[in-house]
Amino acid sequence: MPELPEVETIKRTLETKIPGLSFTGVEIFLPKIIKNPAPQEFSARLPGKEIKKLERKGKYLLIRLSENLVLIIHLRMTGRLVYSLPDTPVAPHTHVIFHLNNGCQLRYGDLRQFGQISLVPASDLASFPGLSSLGPDPFDPHFTREFFKRELKKRRTMLKPLLLDQSFVSGLGNIYADEVLYRARLHPRRQSHTLTPREASCLYRAIREVLQEAIANRGTSIRDYVDGNGNEGNYQNLLKVHDREGEPCLKCGRPIVRARLGGRGTYLCPHCQKS
DNA sequence: AAGAAGTCCTGGGCGC
DNA sequence: TGCGCCCAGGACTTCT
């Protein structure tokens, strides 16, 4: 599941390969992946556009193009974006192939077909659904500890769903929300407005530390994730609670428990994470 | 109006 | 053995 660290890693790997290149064409095998404009217009508009730079906003990957256009890519759960040599066998579930003017390709694959790709004028970014309502990036200078504490008090909901709410803070998904709460020693069901200043600070620090470490380890490959070169990350070996049901807590030795919260599988240590 | 629930999708795992 | 049910989950839509 590409969350912030995975999208950041894809961005960094593609950054060394594709800026300066231009699109020569695009093959769309599954039209519904192209959200807007309509697939036909999408493939008509893209050729000739040069890749200027890559950006990440939350879990969105933005590819800035010439003529003030932006390619917006969201990988959702199983999306992959891999820079490939033309003679590499096409992986199963490849839905879109972007052809580049150096003969190489950018391939979009997505087993569950939830991901979406759009091509919009840069001036439309601010009103683009999802992007426009995005909360601050955890590494944005505006995302200060004081800001976080203020926002936390405004909400009345459980911590886990709150961390997953992209309009609250952008970039966390199911894996890192579990890891963050474990590091902060806070129970996922804890109500956000009941946190003491000390606990809120701890949560703030945990968000940045966990994401930082995950980026340093090139993301988490539990099922599908690979970076822009097709390589797996390493953070799945460093997870402390997620996907570790029944295994001993690294602090207290008691078994990690899997609960269901807000319709999502949630891993925690009930002993170390107090309600 | 904010929060909760339903929706999309497919391969793998499990139960009978 | 083999079929088929159900689950995973990000973010948008719909409901309360």
Side-chain angles (χ1 to χ4, degrees):
Chain A
M1 288 124 275
E3 305 177 27
L4 186 153
E6 289 75 33
V7 179
E8 181 64 28
T9 303
I10 291 168
K11 183 203 153 201
R12 290 182 186 184
T13 48
L14 292 180
E15 229 160 29
T16 66
K17 309 270 185 178
I18 63 171
L21 298 175
S22 298
F23 291 106
T24 54
V26 55
E27 291 175 275
I28 302 169
F29 307 112
L30 188 67
K32 69 170 179 178
I33 298 293
I34 307 299
K35 190 180 176 191
N36 82 58
Q40 213 168 11
E41 200 182 334
F42 181 93
S43 25
R45 210 178 281 179
L46 201 59
K49 304 300 182 288
E50 186 190 336
I51 297 167
K52 295 294 187 184
K53 64 182 282 208
L54 286 89
E55 289 171 34
R56 179 190 57 74
K57 291 211 180 299
K59 303 176 199 172
Y60 289 85
L61 182 67
L62 307 185
I63 303 181
R64 299 264 182 186
L65 307 178
S66 53
E67 298 176 43
N68 274 317
L69 288 170
V70 188
L71 204 49
I72 304 173
I73 301 172
H74 198 302
L75 304 168
R76 292 287 178 101
M77 316 213 348
T78 54
R80 293 176 162 194
L81 194 63
V82 180
Y83 179 82
S84 312
L85 298 172
D87 50 1
T88 313
V90 175
H93 313 293
T94 298
H95 304 313
V96 182
I97 296 182
F98 297 94
H99 294 266
L100 300 162
N101 66 343
N102 67 347
C104 289
Q105 304 171 347
L106 203 53
R107 297 178 183 170
Y108 180 81
D110 192 346
L111 187 149
R112 290 187 194 160
Q113 311 177 3
F114 284 176
Q116 293 196 307
I117 301 175
S118 291
L119 179 64
V120 304
S123 54
D124 289 1
L125 273 184
S127 62
F128 190 82
L131 266 182
S132 53
S133 53
L134 218 52
D137 192 279
F139 297 115
D140 188 307
H142 295 102
F143 185 71
T144 63
R145 196 174 55 181
E146 291 314 310
F147 171 85
F148 179 70
K149 285 180 168 179
R150 271 201 309 278
E151 292 300 310
L152 207 53
K153 281 218 175 68
K154 288 184 191 170
R155 307 290 194 111
R156 288 181 89 84
T157 185
M158 295 182 285
L159 288 178
K160 172 84 185 267
L162 185 62
L163 291 181
L164 293 177
D165 183 347
Q166 302 300 300
S167 69
F168 176 67
V169 56
S170 58
L172 290 170
N174 207 37
I175 297 172
Y176 296 114
D178 285 353
E179 294 297 312
V180 163
L181 289 168
Y182 175 78
R183 178 165 310 210
R185 293 180 179 244
L186 291 165
H187 198 285
R189 291 189 199 277
R190 182 74 178 275
Q191 291 287 322
S192 57
H193 64 282
T194 67
L195 262 57
T196 64
R198 192 192 160 102
E199 286 172 329
S201 294
C202 194
L203 183 57
Y204 173 81
R205 201 171 59 239
I207 291 171
R208 308 213 337 168
E209 283 177 1
V210 165
L211 293 176
Q212 200 98 64
E213 285 175 21
I215 291 171
N217 282 277
R218 308 172 52 79
T220 301
S221 296
I222 292 185
R223 287 168 199 93
D224 301 274
Y225 165 72
V226 292
D227 69 18
N229 294 324
N231 298 319
E232 295 195 339
N234 184 50
Y235 200 68
Q236 65 277 8
N237 301 313
L238 300 171
L239 294 175
K240 296 191 167 75
V241 282
H242 191 88
D243 216 24
R244 291 194 65 237
E245 183 181 14
E247 294 176 43
C249 168
L250 300 173
K251 283 183 198 138
C252 74
R254 292 173 174 84
I256 298 299
V257 165
R258 183 173 185 275
R260 205 165 172 82
L261 212 162
R264 300 286 172 254
T266 299
Y267 298 85
L268 70 148
C269 173
H271 181 254
C272 294
Q273 295 170 260
K274 296 290 187 197
S275 305

